[in-house]
Amino acid sequence: MNHPPVLLVIAHGSRDPRHAATVQALVRRAGALRPGLRVETAFLDFNLPSVTGVLDRLAAEGVRDVVALPLLLTRAFHAKADVPAVLRQAPASLRIRQAEVLGPSPLLVAAVERRLYEAGLAPGDKSATGVVLASAGSTDPEAIAVIAETARELRRTGWCSVRPAFASASLPRTEDAVRALRAEPGVRRVAVAPYVIAPGRLPDRIAAGAAEADVLADVLGPSPELARLLLARYDGAARAAGRERVAAAAV
């Protein structure tokens, strides 16, 4: 009997206990959407279980196929270097396929809007509301470009204006983007939408920078859209791995 690949969700990890709790809640929600799929969680740093620990355990249990999904919104250093490096340490018996990171995706834009509405805004408020899309930040040009494009996609849904901001590594900071939006014609209120998955030090910095905003939305967390996106990325990687195995067998 062929078993589907195990989905291994790899999160960054944090000293803040809210981080791991939020990641686990998101993974549980994704698993509930796909009964029968084995879903595991691991962390690159700070939290347990570690990636190597989970991979060793899976190999010892006789698992053969794994889809490793970086729980990251952009393809920056962690996705390009840290995750591949730790996966290379896996037991040789495992066949591991690294899935694409979560962003960009229309589901992420929908998750941001969900959090804005939960914070008190309504669709009718869009035309007079400026939104700061506040991410953790990166020095990777590809990641910064993806955040900028996500801000443009959010703007196209009808918000008066959308500006990206960053908690670290890049500019502008959240508070500066809030002030810039205040000066824009047509903006009567300003909302900050954290473009981060789980609470932690940088999300707290985003919240502090939102002090002058009218609305502060929650982190993306275990939103239905994120749970569906995890499964979509898993399916894409599993199909690609299956095609490669079929092609190899035909040679």
Side-chain angles (χ1 to χ4, degrees):
M1 178 180 178
N2 290 327
H3 295 280
V6 171
L7 169 57
L8 174 59
V9 178
I10 301 176
H12 182 272
S14 171
R15 292 186 178 90
D16 189 320
R18 297 173 298 168
H19 175 90
T22 301
V23 169
Q24 296 287 7
L26 171 59
V27 172
R28 284 194 300 271
R29 187 161 203 165
L33 293 176
R34 188 73 60 86
L37 173 64
R38 181 172 178 179
V39 185
E40 299 277 351
T41 308
F43 299 89
L44 289 171
D45 206 354
F46 302 117
N47 303 104
L48 293 174
S50 67
V51 179
T52 53
V54 173
L55 292 174
D56 288 346
R57 173 166 54 81
L58 292 175
E61 293 176 10
V63 171
R64 290 294 309 278
D65 296 299
V66 176
V67 168
L69 171 59
L71 194 64
L72 301 167
L73 297 175
T74 59
R75 192 172 172 272
F77 183 80
H78 294 306
K80 294 177 180 178
D82 289 344
V83 172
V86 75
L87 293 180
R88 285 194 292 270
Q89 302 173 33
S93 62
L94 292 176
R95 295 182 296 204
I96 302 176
R97 180 83 179 198
Q98 183 174 330
E100 295 294 332
V101 297
L102 300 181
S105 169
L107 285 170
L108 288 172
V109 174
V112 169
E113 289 205 292
R114 172 186 292 276
R115 294 302 188 226
L116 287 167
Y117 296 149
E118 289 172 349
L121 294 170
D125 298 324
K126 282 184 167 186
S127 62
T129 302
V131 177
V132 177
L133 186 70
S135 74
S138 174
T139 58
D140 189 299
E142 179 183 350
I144 294 171
V146 167
I147 298 298
E149 177 56 30
T150 302
R152 288 191 290 270
E153 289 297 323
L154 185 61
R155 168 70 181 82
R156 292 185 188 110
T157 67
W159 299 94
C160 182
S161 181
V162 179
R163 286 177 176 253
F166 307 92
S168 69
S170 311
L171 295 174
R173 294 287 182 259
T174 303
E175 53 269 31
D176 296 325
V178 168
R179 294 180 190 121
L181 280 175
R182 288 269 185 227
E184 286 195 22
V187 174
R188 293 201 292 272
R189 71 181 63 80
V190 175
V192 172
Y195 193 61
V196 292
I197 293 172
R201 178 175 58 87
L202 293 179
D204 284 348
R205 190 178 295 175
I206 290 171
E212 297 179 18
D214 302 295
V215 174
L216 172 61
D218 200 358
V219 298
L220 300 177
S223 66
E225 295 83 4
L226 239 65
R228 288 163 50 202
L229 184 53
L230 261 62
L231 295 176
R233 293 292 186 256
Y234 166 83
D235 289 339
R239 285 194 298 267
R243 288 193 298 267
E244 288 181 1
R245 287 196 293 272
V246 169
V251 173

